[in-house]
Amino acid sequence: MSQKILVQADWLLKWGEGLEIIPRGEVEIAGGIISYSGPARENKERDFTRVIRGKNRLIMPGLINTHTHAAMSLFRGYADDMPLQEWLEKRIWPVEARLKKKDIYWGTLLAICEMIRGGTTCFADMYFYMGEAAKACLESGIRASLSQGLVGLDVIKGLAALKEGKELVRDWHGEGEGRITVMLGPHAPYTCPPGYLRKVAETAELLHVPIHIHLAETKKEIEESLKNEGKRPIELMEQIGLLRQDVLAAHCVHLTPGEIRILAENKTAVAHNPGSNLKLGSGVAPLADLMQNGVLVSLGTDSAASNNNLDMVEEMRLATLLPKGLRGDPTIVPAVEAIRLATVNGAGALFLKEKVGTLGEGSQADLIMINLDQPHLHPLHSLPAQIVYSALSSDVELVMVDGNILMEKGDLKTLDEEKILFETAKISSRLVGQ
Ligand code: NI
């Protein structure tokens, strides 16, 4: 018999036509699926396995981080204040070369602990040994869209990576009662030549899986693409035919108006990573222009090696503050739009639109509860403003995925955090040779 759970709170946020703010709201869950969400109803006659009542609390859709490299949490604080290319070539790639399969499992678990605590219920990951990441996701109960990172500079290694990418699809797509989905993950145009990208695009079409790729992240990438291919990266991707697939493009920092139109026309989803782009000095993506042109934009943290956290509340705040400051216009990207990026648009970007992100009836019960009963969240005039401008990710006190409780009042229910911190400290010392 399936579990019936009732979650009530003083406030419920869900997406309908727009963001609906419902006082005294409730979510009814049966077998992991939302059977009702709306104003609280008389419930004398209803019997539930579990009833959670949140006084001075808010229920909202779980946050969706659409771009990260979870296991890189092992390198948090190891290489900072460096340009991207130097950061990659001198610091990150040498330690990545020492990674063992099991390190990915533990590194991913470390990232998942942080993500769950901060209200992230779903994330998109691109890295190596992704079967290990998948095991970590399965054990934790979190939802994830995984892709094996593919680098095609060397023909033999590139084909071997693509084979691993295909195996990940075969072994993990749809696992965990559908919580785990798989994409193909060509790393970037500067690590995957056009011929290789064509092959990846064909394979994705054949397997009916989307593509996750880094695009137009740095000025250097644009310059080299123009020099080597005679085209800017987005134009090149369109020419190759890669954008004809379901594509999630991370970063998209350096874009011309024409490229924004290409992204909109191809319905390419963009993962905006303001924190990582700022820290690596890559620039600021034209979020407002992308949104005004109808591009589906979501939010990502990128890895904890370049961010240096996986905090989606902070990312929402950055996403809205940056365009205001840069354009000198406080009306641009209001708080409610930042929430849209982190929830319903995140679901769209991971091709999970019907499943999560809205708290609509019939969708999977991926939700979080935020404790509003704190000085920095008082008094209450506007919930969206409170969430985006005042809340901290540590204000999240309940996290549910598929109706399963992953965190409640600070307790991680599916993971042994102490052991994970112990193991990952050992591994990261070994990797950086300390
Ligand atoms: Ni990345």
Side-chain angles (χ1 to χ4, degrees):
M1 213 178 79
S2 64
Q3 275 215 332
K4 277 189 83 182
I5 303 172
L6 178 68
V7 190
Q8 294 181 322
D10 284 2
W11 300 98
L12 167 65
L13 255 64
K14 64 178 281 196
W15 288 100
E17 293 286 303
L19 185 68
E20 295 171 12
I21 300 176
I22 300 161
R24 289 205 63 243
E26 69 179 20
V27 178
E28 218 181 83
I29 301 155
I33 292 173
I34 296 173
S35 48
Y36 171 80
S37 66
R41 302 180 295 185
E42 194 58 49
N43 62 353
K44 276 181 193 146
E45 320 249 324
R46 295 182 284 165
D47 56 331
F48 294 95
T49 330
R50 175 89 201 268
V51 177
I52 298 167
R53 290 203 169 89
K55 190 167 165 47
N56 292 319
R57 302 294 190 268
L58 152 78
I59 303 166
M60 65 177 283
L63 305 175
I64 300 177
N65 182 348
T66 59
H67 183 68
T68 189
H69 313 279
M72 288 183 85
S73 288
L74 293 168
F75 308 133
R76 189 195 325 260
Y78 165 64
D80 301 292
D81 310 327
M82 296 170 86
L84 176 69
Q85 280 309 315
E86 196 186 333
W87 175 81
L88 279 174
E89 287 166 18
K90 294 203 173 138
R91 303 286 281 184
I92 296 301
W93 287 341
V95 287
E96 279 185 339
R98 290 184 215 147
L99 278 170
K100 291 180 187 161
K101 223 171 157 183
K102 211 65 199 162
D103 300 341
I104 304 301
Y105 168 77
W106 288 107
T108 306
L109 282 177
L110 175 63
I112 294 174
C113 287
E114 181 185 357
M115 287 194 271
I116 292 174
R117 286 192 176 282
T120 294
T121 51
C122 178
F123 71 106
D125 201 33
M126 183 204 288
Y127 213 47
F128 324 113
Y129 302 126
M130 289 305 287
E132 295 298 308
K135 273 185 219 160
C137 294
L138 191 68
E139 283 174 29
S140 71
I142 203 166
R143 190 178 304 283
S145 174
L146 308 175
S147 36
Q148 177 81 21
L150 310 174
V151 171
L153 295 172
D154 176 293
V155 176
I156 306 289
K157 283 185 190 162
L159 291 176
L162 185 56
K163 186 166 166 271
E164 282 178 69
K166 285 198 274 191
E167 283 164 4
L168 191 73
V169 176
R170 183 195 65 201
D171 295 345
W172 287 98
H173 191 55
E175 282 302 302
E177 292 151 335
R179 281 191 300 276
I180 296 175
T181 50
V182 178
M183 300 194 208
L184 289 186
H187 173 260
Y190 60 92
T191 50
C192 298
Y196 185 68
L197 285 174
R198 258 182 221 110
K199 188 146 188 65
V200 174
E202 280 166 22
T203 310
E205 197 176 348
L206 219 67
L207 299 178
H208 303 290
V209 292
I211 288 173
H212 184 179
I213 185 168
H214 295 89
L215 276 186
E217 183 175 1
T218 62
K219 272 206 181 103
K220 187 170 183 253
E221 178 187 339
I222 311 292
E223 283 160 12
E224 293 202 342
S225 178
L226 281 167
K227 197 174 95 192
N228 300 334
E229 308 296 337
K231 281 200 155 47
R232 298 172 60 91
I234 308 284
E235 294 169 340
L236 182 66
M237 290 307 103
E238 195 190 33
Q239 189 189 28
I240 285 172
L242 191 117
L243 297 183
R244 280 199 295 273
Q245 317 281 331
D246 290 338
V247 172
L248 168 63
H251 303 299
C252 295
V253 174
H254 301 280
L255 303 172
T256 60
E259 286 176 303
I260 292 177
R261 267 198 310 278
I262 293 176
L263 292 173
E265 280 162 14
N266 285 282
K267 296 191 165 52
T268 304
V270 170
H272 176 43
N273 297 259
S276 171
N277 296 151
L278 281 176
K279 183 161 178 286
L280 289 169
S282 303
V284 179
L287 173 63
D289 293 332
L290 284 163
M291 291 171 80
Q292 279 157 8
N293 280 278
V295 177
L296 177 73
V297 188
S298 59
L299 277 186
T301 58
D302 215 350
S303 81
S306 66
N307 186 300
N308 287 1
N309 60 46
L310 308 175
D311 186 333
M312 284 291 289
V313 177
E314 186 178 291
E315 227 58 43
M316 279 197 282
R317 187 139 59 235
L318 283 172
T320 169
L321 293 186
L322 276 168
K324 292 182 202 301
L326 287 173
R327 286 214 184 173
D329 179 359
T331 67
I332 216 161
V333 193
V336 66
E337 290 306 308
I339 297 173
R340 185 194 301 276
L341 299 179
T343 56
V344 64
N345 280 16
L350 302 190
F351 312 99
L352 299 171
K353 205 169 184 292
E354 309 302 320
K355 268 191 133 172
V356 291
T358 62
L359 295 191
E361 287 160 18
S363 65
Q364 301 298 123
D366 289 14
L367 62 84
I368 60 175
M369 192 186 270
I370 293 176
N371 176 5
L372 298 169
D373 197 14
Q374 310 189 67
H376 65 280
L377 298 177
H378 267 247
L380 180 61
H381 296 297
S382 155
L383 278 171
Q386 217 79 332
I387 294 164
V388 176
Y389 302 129
S390 306
L392 302 169
S393 56
S394 53
D395 298 332
V396 174
E397 64 173 27
L398 177 81
V399 175
M400 209 180 243
V401 172
D402 265 0
N404 297 313
I405 296 173
L406 306 189
M407 193 271 281
E408 191 171 13
K409 295 201 166 87
D411 278 341
L412 292 176
K413 299 290 184 191
T414 53
L415 298 173
D416 183 346
E417 190 175 58
E418 204 181 321
K419 186 169 169 57
I420 293 164
L421 295 184
F422 175 77
E423 293 292 341
T424 48
K426 265 200 318 195
I427 291 167
S428 65
S429 299
R430 192 196 83 231
L431 290 172
V432 303
Q434 281 165 1

